[in-house]
Amino acid sequence: MKSFKLPAFYVLLMIIAGLLMGVEALMPLALGFSLFIPAFSYLATKEIGLVRTFLLSVISVGSIVFFGNWKAIFDISAFSLIGILTKLLKGKFKLENLIIVLSLISFGVTVLEDILIGLPEEVKQISWFSQVRWGIYFLSSIVISTISVGIISLIAKEDFGFKKLQFGFWVILLFLLSGFLTILKWFPEFRPIGINIFLGVLGFFVVQGFAIFSYYVERFSFWVKFITFFVIVFFPAIALIASIVAGIFDYWFDFRKLKGGEENGSNST
């Protein structure tokens, strides 16, 4: 019975999330449901295998198209792929590299959706968005991929080593390069490229900042945890800025003492 319940719930979750995406007012709810799709595609792959999980995913996507919301298949497919690939690549890649792979997959699906469907009419009216959307796409992809892995870790009760997450110093170099391209006056054609790279790189700092806060929050009292949760929910901009700052300065201050070796916390997963 257990082997039947999980696949059935997985299919139902994908269909519900896909149909909710067809209603603009329910998009936040649809995203909330969608964030759980990777966890259940991960569990399904683990329990019934890759081939059956893939077939269930195709059936779910086909059902969404049948009920008239074919535009949602890109987002739903991306969430499903995140879970499946996480199961296939866990243990083969370090967490940092796994998140990069998942982010690139999600980013690729988003770009494909942009090319085939285009931007919504209300978004097209925002002139600046079309120029920076590639950076925003990657930033959102890496954040969503990281959150998905976190939910997988909680539901599957498996440790992915998120609290020790730290990307290589190349992120800082890319950050500086993008900033230089952004302010370069002699070649203005490079400015949009610099801005997009800059926004994309911020995604690395955001998730690394989240990892730093996760590392410390579990050591604090209930009220400190409650206040932290309150700030994240009601003041997300402050939480976002704090995460970016923490992620940047972590390379110099080593907040979690990751360079101290296994005893103080290594960078392994």
Side-chain angles (χ1 to χ4, degrees):
M1 183 62 68
K2 181 180 178 181
S3 61
F4 173 77
K5 286 183 179 179
L6 177 59
F9 186 80
Y10 171 54
V11 171
L12 184 62
L13 179 63
M14 288 186 67
I15 293 175
I16 291 176
L19 295 180
L20 289 176
M21 285 183 181
V23 183
E24 184 176 350
L26 298 178
M27 282 297 293
L29 182 61
L31 178 60
F33 275 106
S34 299
L35 288 174
F36 288 91
I37 291 177
F40 286 96
S41 63
Y42 179 94
L43 291 174
T45 305
K46 182 178 180 180
E47 183 173 307
I48 64 176
L50 173 62
V51 175
R52 292 182 179 179
T53 303
F54 179 78
L55 289 176
L56 288 176
S57 302
V58 172
I59 292 172
S60 303
V61 171
S63 300
I64 295 171
V65 175
F66 177 79
F67 286 111
N69 189 24
W70 67 272
K71 293 182 179 180
I73 64 176
F74 294 98
D75 295 317
I76 297 300
S77 298
F79 281 109
S80 178
L81 280 173
I82 287 175
I84 293 174
L85 288 175
T86 300
K87 179 62 183 71
L88 296 177
L89 300 178
K90 183 178 184 289
K92 299 178 181 179
F93 284 9
K94 292 174 61 177
L95 178 60
E96 295 87 341
N97 296 332
L98 173 61
I99 288 178
I100 291 175
V101 171
L102 298 178
S103 303
L104 290 174
I105 295 296
S106 178
F107 175 72
V109 173
T110 305
V111 170
L112 181 62
E113 180 182 6
D114 183 287
I115 294 174
L116 296 179
I117 299 179
L119 295 172
E121 289 301 323
E122 59 273 16
V123 177
K124 289 181 179 179
Q125 298 177 5
I126 306 176
S127 58
W128 58 266
F129 181 82
S130 61
Q131 297 181 354
V132 302
R133 67 185 189 276
W134 310 114
I136 294 176
Y137 287 165
F138 186 81
L139 191 156
S140 60
S141 293
I142 192 170
V143 171
I144 288 176
S145 296
T146 304
I147 293 175
S148 298
V149 172
I151 295 176
I152 291 173
S153 177
L154 290 174
I155 293 180
K157 298 180 180 179
E158 298 181 12
D159 184 17
F160 283 78
F162 176 70
K163 295 181 182 66
K164 299 176 182 178
L165 173 70
Q166 186 181 68
F167 296 98
F169 194 77
W170 59 268
V171 177
I172 291 291
L173 298 178
L174 197 58
F175 177 71
L176 296 175
L177 175 62
S178 63
F180 176 73
L181 291 176
T182 300
I183 63 175
L184 195 62
K185 297 181 179 180
W186 299 278
F187 301 97
E189 60 271 15
F190 288 112
R191 191 167 185 270
I193 299 175
I195 294 175
N196 279 281
I197 297 176
F198 182 84
L199 290 173
V201 171
L202 287 182
F204 291 102
F205 297 135
V206 169
V207 299
Q208 189 162 307
F210 285 166
I212 295 170
F213 291 137
S214 298
Y215 178 84
Y216 283 102
V217 164
E218 69 172 6
R219 306 182 178 194
F220 295 150
S221 65
F222 168 79
W223 288 110
V224 175
K225 293 179 181 178
F226 177 79
I227 293 173
T228 302
F229 177 77
F230 180 85
V231 171
I232 292 175
V233 173
F234 294 98
F235 303 97
I238 295 177
L240 185 65
I241 294 173
S243 296
I244 293 174
V245 173
I248 293 175
F249 285 98
D250 186 43
Y251 290 96
W252 287 275
F253 294 97
D254 192 19
F255 296 119
R256 294 158 292 174
K257 306 302 179 185
L258 298 182
K259 298 175 183 178
E262 193 67 33
E263 182 178 351
N264 295 324
S266 70
N267 198 28
S268 63
T269 59

